[in-house]
Amino acid sequence: MNLFFKKLTGALLTTEKVEARIAQMQANIARYRQIETSEELAEYKRLLAIVNAKEFQAKKQHLTQTKYKETAPYKTLAELRRLEKNKALQLYFFVGESALLAEYLAFRESEDYVKLADKKEVSKSPDLKRLQKFEKSKAYRTWLAYKNSNELERYLALKEETATEAFQKENIFWANPRRWLTTEEYKQESRLAELSASDNIVFYLSQDLKQIEEMESWKTVFADGFDWRKMADSAWKPGFAYCCDALKKEHSFTNEHQANNGGKNTGTINGNLTILTQKEAVTAPAWDEKKGFVMKDFDYTSDVIQTADRFRQQEGLFLAKIRCSGKVHHAFWLGTDKKTPLVHLFNFNGKKLFVGNTTNSGFNGTTINGISLGQYYVYALRWTKNEMIWYVNNIEVFRTTRDLPKEPLYLGVSSFLPLSDRPAEGKMEVDWVRVYATVATK
């Protein structure tokens, strides 16, 4: 795969952005879980349920869309005003408040009331004439008609009702076209809007819970930032790992230019694991396919280190931030005590970079072009039960479902010079290594 155009177009993120994204994802998870238990989110959820309830929305619609003329207080006042304008009722109250009515009613209760039936008596008395005229008047008849009427009863009830504090308060509420803004529900709705715009809630709602849960399912099972000084204090050991303890582990091969130097060419500098391949004359043990172990004079030295005794992992997510220099074979790999399987997380053969899996069936992988190996890149492998997927920074470069390893593999880092190549000096640097496993694979 050629990553040049992906790098040119920006599809291939820089290593700094990849690391920043990883850090941001971890920070996002921590922030999400913190907000998840916060009072702020609890209040938001509570108000969201209240505001979205059918009853709440129905009430809001009723309060905001109902016209004042359609309300009970308005209709009550309108009815009262109609009764107040009723001329007969007005006459009733006018007569009721008059001194003449009072005089007549008092006279009616007296013994002289019978004189109103005597024409002679009436003709002789101006007062009797006046009282008789009132008794026969429209005003008195009106007063008498309305005295026990439904209209009067209704009017008095309306007067009493509209004079109460409760009615006046309700009427003021409904007469206000901005009545919704005075309600407790509006306060709840406004608070919900305020919370919905808060940084924490906006962030929380923007996150994909399934993605977070998937990421949380990956647990760190190995991490090395290379802040150690002595290899004995680390998870790494120099040399190879074999199933037979009797076999020499710290050796080279007769078909290579360099002697593996027992960890002497490996160190940590400013938090980076560094393996140096350098010109240096040494005599060291080497494996010869025909003769077995022999002593050989080498002109170069380098190293191989691995975690066979301290860490092995079957399936999971493997990441390493790596750069290298020189026309030297540099490799970061996953291996077992046998020759295969051998999983190449990073393998530079002095000319090209490739990733993939070597089994008894051969190599299954791809070559990667278009990036400068003198710069750091994050190389990753996602290994599941059904497939293996390789990445460079954020770009998938290869995947396979063939010949997947069925056993835990350890981590290995090495630099070497095959006899078929012209020897040269070089350096491999690993800034950090991280391995994650899911609950199922841990």
Side-chain angles (χ1 to χ4, degrees), residues 177-200:
R178 294 168 63 84
R179 65 183 79 98
W180 171 249
L181 306 185
T182 68
T183 64
E184 185 63 29
E185 287 81 2
Y186 173 75
K187 292 180 182 178
Q188 293 174 323
E189 185 182 57
S190 298
R191 177 57 178 161
L192 177 62
E194 180 183 343
L195 289 171
S196 298
S198 75
D199 290 341
N200 282 339

Side-chain angles (χ1 to χ4, degrees), residues 311-367:
F311 175 76
R312 300 183 186 221
Q313 176 66 32
Q314 182 176 359
E315 302 175 9
L317 182 62
F318 301 76
L319 300 96
K321 181 183 175 184
I322 303 170
R323 71 178 177 185
C324 63
S325 63
K327 292 185 177 181
V328 178
H329 288 236
H330 302 290
F332 193 112
W333 40 275
L334 312 181
T336 182
D337 296 334
K338 301 176 182 178
K339 190 173 183 180
T340 60
L342 182 64
V343 178
H344 310 276
L345 182 71
F346 171 94
N347 199 316
F348 176 63
N349 65 6
K351 297 178 181 179
K352 294 182 180 181
L353 170 67
F354 61 90
V355 298
N357 185 20
T358 297
T359 66
N360 292 333
S361 302
F363 175 68
N364 178 26
T366 188
T367 300

Side-chain angles (χ1 to χ4, degrees), residues 396-420:
E396 178 185 327
V397 294
F398 182 68
R399 73 167 59 202
T400 184
T401 58
R402 289 169 40 198
D403 300 326
L404 304 184
K406 303 299 182 183
E407 59 188 305
L409 305 181
Y410 60 79
L411 309 179
V413 186
S414 59
S415 295
F416 55 97
L417 297 167
L419 284 181
S420 57

Side-chain angles (χ1 to χ4, degrees), residues 188-237:
Q188 293 174 323
E189 185 182 57
S190 298
R191 177 57 178 161
L192 177 62
E194 180 183 343
L195 289 171
S196 298
S198 75
D199 290 341
N200 282 339
I201 301 302
V202 169
F203 167 82
Y204 182 86
L205 297 178
S206 69
Q207 300 303 298
D208 186 336
L209 179 57
K210 289 186 178 179
Q211 185 181 55
I212 287 177
E213 289 176 342
E214 180 184 0
M215 291 175 62
E216 286 181 324
S217 71
W218 291 96
K219 305 301 179 183
T220 303
V221 292
F222 181 90
D224 199 339
F226 304 109
D227 53 357
W228 44 266
R229 293 187 177 182
K230 296 180 180 179
M231 196 179 301
D233 298 329
S234 74
W236 306 86
K237 288 181 64 175

Side-chain angles (χ1 to χ4, degrees), residues 112-246:
D112 291 338
Y113 178 68
V114 296
K115 293 179 180 181
L116 282 183
D118 189 336
K119 292 181 179 180
K120 289 181 179 183
E121 290 292 329
V122 172
S123 64
K124 292 188 299 182
S125 173
D127 288 336
L128 289 177
K129 286 180 180 180
R130 181 169 52 81
L131 292 173
Q132 186 182 63
K133 183 179 179 181
F134 175 75
E135 185 180 58
K136 294 180 178 181
S137 68
K138 178 182 178 182
Y140 177 68
R141 291 196 306 271
T142 300
W143 180 87
L144 201 60
Y146 272 84
K147 181 180 178 182
N148 297 310
S149 67
N150 292 333
E151 288 89 342
L152 178 60
E153 183 181 358
R154 179 60 178 163
Y155 172 78
L156 294 175
L158 291 175
K159 285 287 285 185
E160 182 180 0
E161 178 185 353
T162 57
T164 63
E165 182 180 353
F167 178 88
Q168 292 176 4
K169 185 177 181 181
E170 183 183 11
N171 182 58
I172 291 173
F173 172 78
W174 284 107
N176 182 4
R178 294 168 63 84
R179 65 183 79 98
W180 171 249
L181 306 185
T182 68
T183 64
E184 185 63 29
E185 287 81 2
Y186 173 75
K187 292 180 182 178
Q188 293 174 323
E189 185 182 57
S190 298
R191 177 57 178 161
L192 177 62
E194 180 183 343
L195 289 171
S196 298
S198 75
D199 290 341
N200 282 339
I201 301 302
V202 169
F203 167 82
Y204 182 86
L205 297 178
S206 69
Q207 300 303 298
D208 186 336
L209 179 57
K210 289 186 178 179
Q211 185 181 55
I212 287 177
E213 289 176 342
E214 180 184 0
M215 291 175 62
E216 286 181 324
S217 71
W218 291 96
K219 305 301 179 183
T220 303
V221 292
F222 181 90
D224 199 339
F226 304 109
D227 53 357
W228 44 266
R229 293 187 177 182
K230 296 180 180 179
M231 196 179 301
D233 298 329
S234 74
W236 306 86
K237 288 181 64 175
F240 296 97
Y242 297 119
C243 56
C244 180
D245 292 335

